[in-house]
Amino acid sequence: MPILHSLVIALVATTLTFLVTLPIVYLLIQHPIKLNWAIESLLLLPLVLPPTVVGLFLLQLFGKYGIMGRFLALFNNYSLVFTLAGATVATIIVVLPIMYQSIKAAILGVDRHLVEAAEVIGATQFEVLRYVILPNAYNGIIIGLLLTFCRGLGEFGASLMVAGYIQGKTDTIATAIYFAIQAGDNNTAIYLSVVDILIGVTALLFIQFLNHQNKRGSANA
Amino acid sequence: MLDVKITKKLNTHTLTFAGQFKQQFTGIMGSSGGGKTTLLRLIAGLTVPDSGKITFDKTTWYDGDHQINLPPGQRPVGFMFQDLALFPNLTANKNINFYQRLRLYHQKEPITPEKKQQLLETLEITPFLDESVQRLSGGQRQRVALCRALVQQPRLLLLDEPFTGLDDRLRLKTIALTQKALAQTKTQVIIVSHRRDEVTAFTDDIYELA
């Protein structure tokens, strides 16, 4: 169960973060505003904070007396605390800086003249993104998605603060390893660690492969 | 007729240009950093002038005083970048078609298939039409970029150092093919180069930038 929970959380968090981050990064690059530095600092903030601080902030926000907590309670007394959805929200906040940096680097890596070549023929912002940016930033974006996914898979502090550790309900690979060790169940901890390592190594090998492809593509261009 | 009267502050100096482009071919020459590429970018709308006015056939593209600035896509301009800016993930054919497809949104009279085929044959692109542009030689890439610009049937074609990076033999061949292709159109052409022979191959009407 913890493996499935971790995979679901990492997958959903990666997908949602990508969908939110891509348009933000693209618009900030295409139409820089004076407050770019402030928006960027806000998006990168979770990177410099301990995950427990992020967790605490989310608890304040989504807890029983938090603004979002009270709002969600209006819908059939729903609460994010102690749920997988809560762990997913915590993971989204923690992985946001990784996704932001990866997508930004990938988009900035696309030759500016390619974008201008499309603009000259009247391509809209969406068409530039769809037909020029995404195909040419493809490998960089995939690398960003994998890094984000791996970070999401290993998320511990913030998720634990928000979702806690309820066996069969909110347990993830990272929290299950911690509580298995606490309970003296080394076998479970090692088994889960090996699974996590295998997923991580597979992702890293794929990232190396894509990096190699990128270098070959640049050399041929 | 293109009428340009603009100023633009650059890193090292202020570019001031006033000129009328009446002939089908006009050359712009000058030393590196003199503002040749910037002038083309200003005409295309990719860079905004600090002040002045740009009109083409009585249509105002830019007017600093009246805050008029037509976006690049609304100017009937074809731009061939110095680095060609071909989409590396596409074949020669797809580069040309992609450009043509997007341009169709704004074109009242898209190029006919016959004309397009004639252009492909004139520029001798047909044999490598389905090759990835990353596998093409410098001269082949140059011709694909020119074809891509011409299938839009622009009324004004801006060529930025179009023969840079080609050896002498290939340069002469590419210039000859370019002349042949442009002779089939009524498109007005501005060619920028730091080499006099490349410009005089097309025109003696030359502006020199300081």
Side-chain angles (χ1 to χ4, degrees), chain A residues 137-218:
Chain A
Y138 182 75
N139 280 2
I141 289 173
I142 296 292
I143 289 170
L145 288 171
L146 284 171
L147 284 174
T148 307
F149 178 79
C150 288
R151 178 64 187 88
L153 205 62
E155 174 25 42
F156 178 75
S159 307
L160 188 63
M161 294 280 284
V162 177
Y165 176 75
I166 305 170
Q167 270 191 333
K169 193 184 170 196
T170 64
D171 49 348
T172 62
I173 293 177
T175 54
I177 290 171
Y178 178 77
F179 284 100
I181 292 287
Q182 294 283 62
D185 183 1
N186 281 3
N187 285 344
T188 302
I190 290 169
Y191 162 70
L192 290 172
S193 300
V194 169
V195 171
D196 203 27
I197 289 168
L198 282 176
I199 296 172
V201 168
T202 308
L204 284 174
L205 285 176
F206 194 55
I207 288 171
Q208 292 299 336
F209 169 74
L210 290 175
N211 271 331
H212 180 67
Q213 294 272 94
N214 264 357
K215 280 179 195 160
R216 244 179 39 177
S218 309

Coordinates of all heavy atoms in Angstrom, one line a residue, chain A residues 137-218:
Chain A
A137 N 11.9 21.9 -26.4 CA 12.3 21.9 -25.0 C 11.9 20.5 -24.4 O 12.0 20.3 -23.2 CB 11.7 23.0 -24.2
Y138 N 11.5 19.6 -25.3 CA 11.0 18.3 -24.9 C 11.8 17.6 -23.9 O 11.4 17.2 -22.8 CB 10.7 17.5 -26.2 CG 10.1 16.2 -25.9 CD1 8.7 16.1 -25.6 CD2 10.8 15.0 -26.0 CE1 8.1 14.8 -25.4 CE2 10.2 13.8 -25.8 CZ 8.9 13.7 -25.5 OH 8.3 12.5 -25.2
N139 N 13.1 17.3 -24.3 CA 14.0 16.5 -23.4 C 14.1 17.2 -22.0 O 14.1 16.5 -21.0 CB 15.3 16.3 -24.0 CG 15.3 15.2 -25.0 OD1 14.2 14.6 -25.3 ND2 16.4 14.9 -25.7
G140 N 14.3 18.5 -22.0 CA 14.5 19.2 -20.8 C 13.3 19.2 -19.9 O 13.4 19.0 -18.7
I141 N 12.1 19.2 -20.5 CA 10.9 19.1 -19.8 C 10.7 17.7 -19.2 O 10.3 17.6 -18.0 CB 9.7 19.6 -20.6 CG1 9.7 21.1 -20.9 CG2 8.4 19.2 -20.0 CD1 8.7 21.6 -21.8
I142 N 11.0 16.7 -20.0 CA 10.9 15.3 -19.5 C 11.8 15.1 -18.3 O 11.5 14.5 -17.3 CB 11.2 14.3 -20.6 CG1 10.2 14.4 -21.7 CG2 11.3 12.9 -20.0 CD1 8.8 13.9 -21.4
I143 N 13.0 15.7 -18.4 CA 14.0 15.6 -17.3 C 13.4 16.2 -16.0 O 13.5 15.7 -14.9 CB 15.3 16.2 -17.7 CG1 16.1 15.3 -18.7 CG2 16.2 16.4 -16.4 CD1 17.3 16.0 -19.3
G144 N 12.8 17.4 -16.2 CA 12.2 18.1 -15.1 C 11.0 17.3 -14.5 O 10.9 17.2 -13.3
L145 N 10.2 16.6 -15.4 CA 9.1 15.8 -14.9 C 9.7 14.6 -14.0 O 9.1 14.3 -13.0 CB 8.3 15.3 -16.0 CG 7.4 16.3 -16.8 CD1 6.8 15.7 -18.0 CD2 6.3 16.8 -15.9
L146 N 10.7 14.0 -14.5 CA 11.3 12.9 -13.8 C 11.9 13.3 -12.5 O 11.7 12.6 -11.4 CB 12.4 12.2 -14.7 CG 11.9 11.3 -15.8 CD1 13.0 10.9 -16.7 CD2 11.1 10.1 -15.3
L147 N 12.6 14.4 -12.5 CA 13.2 14.9 -11.2 C 12.1 15.2 -10.2 O 12.2 14.9 -9.0 CB 14.1 16.1 -11.5 CG 15.5 15.9 -12.1 CD1 16.1 17.2 -12.4 CD2 16.4 15.1 -11.2
T148 N 11.1 15.9 -10.7 CA 10.0 16.2 -9.8 C 9.3 15.0 -9.3 O 9.0 14.9 -8.1 CB 8.9 17.1 -10.6 OG1 9.6 18.2 -11.2 CG2 7.9 17.6 -9.7
F149 N 9.1 14.0 -10.2 CA 8.5 12.7 -9.8 C 9.3 12.1 -8.7 O 8.7 11.6 -7.6 CB 8.3 11.8 -11.0 CG 7.7 10.5 -10.7 CD1 6.3 10.4 -10.5 CD2 8.5 9.4 -10.5 CE1 5.8 9.1 -10.2 CE2 7.9 8.1 -10.2 CZ 6.6 8.0 -10.0
C150 N 10.6 12.0 -8.9 CA 11.5 11.3 -7.9 C 11.4 12.0 -6.6 O 11.4 11.4 -5.5 CB 12.9 11.2 -8.4 SG 13.1 10.1 -9.8
R151 N 11.5 13.4 -6.6 CA 11.5 14.1 -5.4 C 10.1 13.9 -4.7 O 10.1 13.8 -3.4 CB 11.7 15.7 -5.7 CG 11.6 16.6 -4.5 CD 12.7 16.3 -3.5 NE 12.6 17.1 -2.3 CZ 11.8 16.7 -1.2 NH1 11.2 15.5 -1.3 NH2 11.7 17.4 -0.1
G152 N 9.0 13.9 -5.5 CA 7.7 13.6 -4.9 C 7.6 12.3 -4.3 O 7.0 12.1 -3.2
L153 N 8.3 11.3 -4.9 CA 8.2 9.9 -4.4 C 8.9 9.9 -3.0 O 8.5 9.1 -2.1 CB 9.0 9.0 -5.4 CG 8.7 7.6 -5.4 CD1 7.2 7.4 -5.8 CD2 9.6 6.8 -6.4
G154 N 9.9 10.7 -2.8 CA 10.7 10.6 -1.5 C 10.2 11.6 -0.5 O 10.8 11.8 0.6
E155 N 9.2 12.4 -0.8 CA 8.7 13.5 0.1 C 8.3 12.9 1.5 O 7.6 11.9 1.6 CB 7.6 14.2 -0.6 CG 6.8 15.3 0.1 CD 7.5 16.0 1.3 OE1 8.7 16.3 1.2 OE2 6.9 16.2 2.3
F156 N 8.8 13.5 2.5 CA 8.6 13.0 3.9 C 8.0 14.0 4.8 O 6.9 13.9 5.3 CB 9.9 12.4 4.4 CG 9.9 11.9 5.8 CD1 9.3 10.7 6.1 CD2 10.4 12.6 6.9 CE1 9.2 10.2 7.4 CE2 10.4 12.1 8.2 CZ 9.8 10.9 8.4
G157 N 8.8 15.1 5.1 CA 8.5 16.0 6.2 C 7.1 16.7 6.1 O 6.3 16.6 7.0
A158 N 6.9 17.4 4.9 CA 5.7 18.2 4.8 C 4.5 17.2 4.8 O 3.4 17.5 5.4 CB 5.8 19.0 3.5
S159 N 4.6 16.1 4.0 CA 3.5 15.2 3.9 C 3.1 14.6 5.3 O 2.0 14.5 5.6 CB 3.9 14.0 3.0 OG 4.3 14.4 1.8
L160 N 4.2 14.3 6.1 CA 3.9 13.7 7.4 C 3.2 14.7 8.3 O 2.3 14.4 9.0 CB 5.2 13.3 8.1 CG 5.1 12.5 9.4 CD1 4.4 11.2 9.1 CD2 6.5 12.3 10.0
M161 N 3.6 16.0 8.2 CA 2.9 17.0 9.0 C 1.5 17.2 8.6 O 0.6 17.3 9.5 CB 3.6 18.4 8.8 CG 5.1 18.5 9.2 SD 5.2 18.7 11.0 CE 4.8 20.5 11.1
V162 N 1.2 17.1 7.3 CA -0.2 17.3 6.9 C -1.1 16.0 6.9 O -2.2 16.1 7.4 CB -0.2 17.9 5.4 CG1 -1.7 18.1 4.9 CG2 0.5 19.2 5.4
A163 N -0.5 14.9 6.4 CA -1.3 13.7 6.3 C -1.1 12.7 7.4 O -1.8 11.7 7.6 CB -1.0 13.1 4.9
G164 N 0.0 12.9 8.2 CA 0.3 12.0 9.3 C 0.7 10.6 8.7 O 1.0 10.5 7.5
Y165 N 0.6 9.6 9.6 CA 0.9 8.2 9.2 C -0.2 7.3 9.6 O -0.2 6.9 10.8 CB 2.3 7.8 9.7 CG 2.6 6.3 9.4 CD1 3.0 6.0 8.1 CD2 2.5 5.3 10.4 CE1 3.3 4.6 7.8 CE2 2.8 4.0 10.1 CZ 3.2 3.7 8.8 OH 3.5 2.4 8.5
I166 N -1.1 7.0 8.7 CA -2.2 6.1 9.0 C -2.1 4.9 8.1 O -2.2 5.1 6.9 CB -3.6 6.8 8.8 CG1 -3.7 8.1 9.7 CG2 -4.7 5.8 9.2 CD1 -4.9 8.9 9.4
Q167 N -1.7 3.8 8.7 CA -1.5 2.6 7.8 C -2.7 2.3 7.0 O -3.8 2.3 7.4 CB -1.2 1.4 8.7 CG 0.3 1.2 9.0 CD 0.7 -0.1 9.7 OE1 -0.2 -0.7 10.3 NE2 1.9 -0.5 9.5
G168 N -2.4 2.1 5.7 CA -3.5 1.7 4.7 C -4.2 2.9 4.2 O -5.1 2.8 3.3
K169 N -4.0 4.1 4.8 CA -4.7 5.3 4.4 C -3.8 6.4 3.9 O -3.9 6.9 2.8 CB -5.6 5.8 5.6 CG -6.6 6.9 5.1 CD -7.4 7.4 6.3 CE -8.2 8.6 5.8 NZ -8.7 9.4 6.9
T170 N -2.8 6.8 4.7 CA -1.9 7.9 4.3 C -0.4 7.5 4.4 O 0.5 8.3 4.3 CB -2.1 9.1 5.2 OG1 -1.7 8.8 6.5 CG2 -3.5 9.6 5.1
D171 N -0.1 6.2 4.5 CA 1.3 5.8 4.6 C 1.9 5.8 3.2 O 1.3 5.5 2.2 CB 1.4 4.4 5.2 CG 0.5 3.4 4.5 OD1 -0.4 3.8 3.8 OD2 0.7 2.2 4.7
T172 N 3.2 6.3 3.1 CA 3.9 6.4 1.9 C 5.2 5.6 2.1 O 5.5 5.2 3.2 CB 4.2 7.9 1.5 OG1 5.1 8.4 2.5 CG2 3.0 8.7 1.3
I173 N 6.0 5.5 1.0 CA 7.3 4.7 1.2 C 8.1 5.4 2.2 O 8.6 4.7 3.1 CB 8.0 4.7 -0.2 CG1 7.3 3.9 -1.2 CG2 9.4 4.1 0.0 CD1 7.9 3.8 -2.6
A174 N 8.3 6.7 2.1 CA 9.2 7.4 3.1 C 8.7 7.3 4.5 O 9.5 7.0 5.4 CB 9.3 8.9 2.6
T175 N 7.4 7.5 4.7 CA 6.9 7.5 6.1 C 6.9 6.1 6.6 O 7.2 5.8 7.8 CB 5.5 8.1 6.2 OG1 4.7 7.5 5.3 CG2 5.5 9.6 6.0
A176 N 6.6 5.1 5.7 CA 6.5 3.7 6.2 C 7.9 3.2 6.6 O 8.0 2.4 7.5 CB 5.9 2.8 5.0
I177 N 8.9 3.6 5.8 CA 10.3 3.2 6.2 C 10.6 3.8 7.6 O 11.1 3.0 8.5 CB 11.4 3.8 5.2 CG1 11.2 3.1 3.9 CG2 12.8 3.6 5.7 CD1 12.0 3.7 2.7
Y178 N 10.3 5.0 7.9 CA 10.6 5.7 9.1 C 9.9 4.9 10.3 O 10.5 4.5 11.3 CB 10.2 7.1 9.1 CG 10.4 7.9 10.4 CD1 11.6 8.3 10.8 CD2 9.3 8.1 11.3 CE1 11.8 8.9 12.0 CE2 9.5 8.8 12.5 CZ 10.7 9.2 12.8 OH 10.9 9.8 14.0
F179 N 8.6 4.6 10.1 CA 7.9 4.0 11.2 C 8.2 2.5 11.3 O 8.1 1.9 12.4 CB 6.3 4.2 11.0 CG 6.0 5.6 11.4 CD1 5.8 6.6 10.4 CD2 5.8 6.0 12.7 CE1 5.4 7.9 10.8 CE2 5.5 7.3 13.1 CZ 5.3 8.3 12.1
A180 N 8.6 1.9 10.2 CA 9.1 0.5 10.3 C 10.3 0.4 11.2 O 10.5 -0.5 12.0 CB 9.3 -0.1 8.9
I181 N 11.2 1.3 10.9 CA 12.5 1.4 11.7 C 12.2 1.6 13.2 O 12.7 1.0 14.1 CB 13.4 2.5 11.2 CG1 14.0 2.1 9.8 CG2 14.6 2.7 12.2 CD1 15.0 1.0 9.8
Q182 N 11.2 2.5 13.4 CA 10.8 2.9 14.8 C 10.3 1.6 15.5 O 10.5 1.4 16.7 CB 9.7 3.9 14.8 CG 10.2 5.3 14.3 CD 11.0 6.0 15.3 OE1 12.1 5.6 15.7 NE2 10.5 7.2 15.8
A183 N 9.6 0.8 14.7 CA 8.9 -0.4 15.3 C 9.9 -1.6 15.3 O 9.5 -2.7 15.6 CB 7.7 -0.7 14.5
G184 N 11.1 -1.4 14.8 CA 12.1 -2.5 14.7 C 11.9 -3.5 13.6 O 12.5 -4.6 13.5
D185 N 11.1 -3.1 12.6 CA 10.8 -4.0 11.4 C 11.7 -3.6 10.3 O 11.4 -3.0 9.3 CB 9.3 -3.8 11.0 CG 8.9 -4.7 9.9 OD1 9.8 -5.5 9.5 OD2 7.7 -4.6 9.4
N186 N 13.0 -4.1 10.4 CA 14.0 -3.8 9.5 C 13.7 -4.3 8.1 O 14.0 -3.7 7.1 CB 15.4 -4.3 9.9 CG 16.0 -3.3 11.0 OD1 15.3 -2.4 11.4 ND2 17.2 -3.6 11.4
N187 N 13.1 -5.5 8.0 CA 12.9 -6.2 6.7 C 12.0 -5.3 5.8 O 12.2 -5.1 4.7 CB 12.2 -7.5 6.9 CG 13.3 -8.5 7.4 OD1 14.5 -8.3 7.3 ND2 12.8 -9.6 7.9
T188 N 10.9 -4.8 6.4 CA 10.0 -3.9 5.7 C 10.7 -2.7 5.2 O 10.5 -2.2 4.1 CB 8.7 -3.6 6.5 OG1 8.1 -4.8 7.0 CG2 7.8 -2.7 5.8
A189 N 11.5 -2.1 6.1 CA 12.2 -0.9 5.8 C 13.1 -1.1 4.6 O 13.2 -0.3 3.7 CB 12.9 -0.4 7.0
I190 N 13.9 -2.2 4.7 CA 14.8 -2.5 3.6 C 14.1 -2.8 2.3 O 14.5 -2.3 1.2 CB 15.7 -3.7 4.0 CG1 16.7 -3.3 5.1 CG2 16.5 -4.2 2.8 CD1 17.4 -4.4 5.8
Y191 N 13.0 -3.5 2.4 CA 12.3 -3.9 1.1 C 11.8 -2.6 0.5 O 11.9 -2.4 -0.7 CB 11.1 -4.8 1.5 CG 10.0 -4.8 0.5 CD1 10.2 -5.4 -0.7 CD2 8.7 -4.2 0.7 CE1 9.2 -5.5 -1.7 CE2 7.7 -4.2 -0.2 CZ 7.9 -4.9 -1.4 OH 7.0 -4.9 -2.4
L192 N 11.2 -1.7 1.3 CA 10.7 -0.4 0.7 C 11.8 0.5 0.2 O 11.7 1.1 -0.8 CB 9.9 0.4 1.8 CG 8.5 -0.3 2.2 CD1 7.9 0.5 3.4 CD2 7.6 -0.2 1.0
S193 N 13.0 0.4 0.9 CA 14.1 1.2 0.4 C 14.6 0.7 -0.9 O 14.9 1.5 -1.8 CB 15.3 1.1 1.4 OG 14.8 1.6 2.7
V194 N 14.7 -0.6 -1.1 CA 15.1 -1.1 -2.3 C 14.2 -0.7 -3.5 O 14.6 -0.3 -4.6 CB 15.2 -2.7 -2.2 CG1 15.5 -3.3 -3.6 CG2 16.4 -3.1 -1.3
V195 N 12.9 -0.8 -3.2 CA 11.9 -0.4 -4.3 C 12.1 1.1 -4.6 O 12.2 1.4 -5.8 CB 10.5 -0.6 -3.7 CG1 9.5 0.0 -4.7 CG2 10.2 -2.1 -3.6
D196 N 12.3 1.9 -3.6 CA 12.5 3.3 -3.9 C 13.8 3.6 -4.7 O 13.8 4.4 -5.6 CB 12.6 4.1 -2.5 CG 12.3 5.5 -2.7 OD1 11.5 5.9 -3.6 OD2 12.8 6.4 -1.9
I197 N 14.9 2.8 -4.3 CA 16.2 3.0 -5.0 C 16.0 2.5 -6.4 O 16.5 3.2 -7.4 CB 17.3 2.1 -4.3 CG1 17.6 2.8 -2.9 CG2 18.5 2.0 -5.2 CD1 18.5 1.9 -2.0
L198 N 15.3 1.4 -6.7 CA 15.1 0.9 -8.0 C 14.4 2.0 -8.9 O 14.8 2.2 -10.0 CB 14.3 -0.4 -8.0 CG 15.1 -1.6 -7.7 CD1 14.2 -2.8 -7.6 CD2 16.3 -1.9 -8.7
I199 N 13.3 2.6 -8.4 CA 12.6 3.6 -9.1 C 13.5 4.8 -9.4 O 13.6 5.3 -10.5 CB 11.3 4.0 -8.4 CG1 10.3 2.8 -8.2 CG2 10.6 5.2 -9.1 CD1 9.2 3.1 -7.3
G200 N 14.2 5.2 -8.4 CA 15.1 6.4 -8.5 C 16.2 6.1 -9.5 O 16.5 7.0 -10.4
V201 N 16.8 5.0 -9.4 CA 17.9 4.6 -10.4 C 17.4 4.6 -11.8 O 18.1 5.1 -12.7 CB 18.6 3.3 -10.0 CG1 19.6 2.8 -11.1 CG2 19.4 3.5 -8.7
T202 N 16.3 4.0 -12.0 CA 15.7 3.9 -13.3 C 15.4 5.3 -13.9 O 15.8 5.6 -15.0 CB 14.3 3.1 -13.3 OG1 14.5 1.9 -12.6 CG2 13.8 2.9 -14.7
A203 N 14.9 6.2 -13.0 CA 14.6 7.6 -13.5 C 15.9 8.3 -13.8 O 16.0 9.0 -14.8 CB 13.9 8.3 -12.4
L204 N 16.9 8.1 -13.0 CA 18.2 8.8 -13.2 C 18.9 8.3 -14.5 O 19.5 9.1 -15.2 CB 19.2 8.6 -12.0 CG 18.8 9.4 -10.8 CD1 19.7 9.0 -9.6 CD2 19.0 10.9 -11.1
L205 N 18.8 7.0 -14.7 CA 19.4 6.4 -16.0 C 18.7 7.0 -17.2 O 19.3 7.4 -18.2 CB 19.2 4.9 -16.0 CG 20.2 4.1 -15.1 CD1 19.9 2.6 -15.1 CD2 21.7 4.4 -15.5
F206 N 17.4 7.2 -17.1 CA 16.6 7.8 -18.2 C 17.0 9.2 -18.4 O 17.1 9.7 -19.5 CB 15.1 7.6 -17.9 CG 14.3 7.9 -19.2 CD1 14.5 7.2 -20.3 CD2 13.3 8.8 -19.1 CE1 13.7 7.4 -21.5 CE2 12.5 9.1 -20.2 CZ 12.7 8.4 -21.4
I207 N 17.2 9.9 -17.3 CA 17.6 11.3 -17.4 C 19.0 11.4 -18.0 O 19.2 12.3 -18.9 CB 17.7 12.0 -15.9 CG1 16.3 12.2 -15.4 CG2 18.5 13.3 -16.0 CD1 16.2 12.6 -14.0
Q208 N 19.9 10.5 -17.7 CA 21.3 10.5 -18.3 C 21.1 10.3 -19.8 O 21.8 10.9 -20.6 CB 22.2 9.4 -17.7 CG 22.5 9.7 -16.2 CD 23.3 11.0 -16.1 OE1 24.0 11.5 -17.0 NE2 23.3 11.6 -14.9
F209 N 20.2 9.3 -20.2 CA 20.0 9.0 -21.6 C 19.5 10.3 -22.3 O 20.0 10.6 -23.4 CB 19.0 7.9 -21.7 CG 18.5 7.6 -23.1 CD1 19.3 7.0 -24.0 CD2 17.2 8.0 -23.4 CE1 18.8 6.8 -25.3 CE2 16.7 7.8 -24.7 CZ 17.6 7.2 -25.7
L210 N 18.6 11.0 -21.7 CA 18.0 12.2 -22.3 C 19.1 13.3 -22.4 O 19.2 14.0 -23.4 CB 16.8 12.7 -21.6 CG 15.5 11.8 -21.7 CD1 14.5 12.4 -20.7 CD2 15.0 11.8 -23.1
N211 N 19.9 13.4 -21.4 CA 21.0 14.4 -21.4 C 21.9 14.1 -22.6 O 22.4 15.0 -23.3 CB 21.8 14.4 -20.1 CG 21.2 15.3 -19.1 OD1 20.6 16.3 -19.4 ND2 21.3 15.0 -17.8
H212 N 22.2 12.8 -22.7 CA 23.1 12.4 -23.8 C 22.5 12.7 -25.2 O 23.2 13.3 -26.1 CB 23.3 10.9 -23.7 CG 24.2 10.3 -24.8 ND1 25.6 10.6 -24.8 CD2 24.0 9.5 -25.8 CE1 26.1 10.0 -25.9 NE2 25.2 9.3 -26.5
Q213 N 21.2 12.5 -25.3 CA 20.5 12.8 -26.5 C 20.5 14.3 -26.8 O 20.8 14.7 -27.9 CB 19.0 12.4 -26.4 CG 18.8 11.0 -26.3 CD 18.6 10.3 -27.7 OE1 19.6 9.9 -28.2 NE2 17.5 10.4 -28.2
N214 N 20.4 15.1 -25.7 CA 20.4 16.6 -25.9 C 21.8 17.0 -26.4 O 21.8 17.9 -27.3 CB 20.2 17.2 -24.5 CG 18.8 17.6 -24.3 OD1 18.0 17.4 -25.1 ND2 18.4 18.1 -23.1
K215 N 22.8 16.5 -25.8 CA 24.2 16.9 -26.2 C 24.4 16.5 -27.7 O 25.0 17.2 -28.4 CB 25.2 16.2 -25.3 CG 25.4 16.9 -24.0 CD 26.4 16.2 -23.2 CE 26.3 16.7 -21.7 NZ 27.0 15.8 -20.8
R216 N 23.9 15.3 -28.1 CA 24.1 14.8 -29.5 C 23.3 15.7 -30.4 O 23.8 16.1 -31.5 CB 23.6 13.4 -29.6 CG 24.8 12.5 -30.0 CD 24.3 11.1 -30.1 NE 23.0 10.9 -30.8 CZ 22.5 9.7 -31.0 NH1 23.2 8.6 -30.7 NH2 21.4 9.6 -31.6
G217 N 22.1 16.1 -30.0 CA 21.3 17.0 -30.8 C 22.0 18.4 -31.0 O 22.0 18.9 -32.1
S218 N 22.6 18.9 -29.9 CA 23.3 20.2 -30.0 C 24.5 20.1 -30.9 O 24.8 21.0 -31.7 CB 23.7 20.7 -28.6 OG 22.7 20.6 -27.7

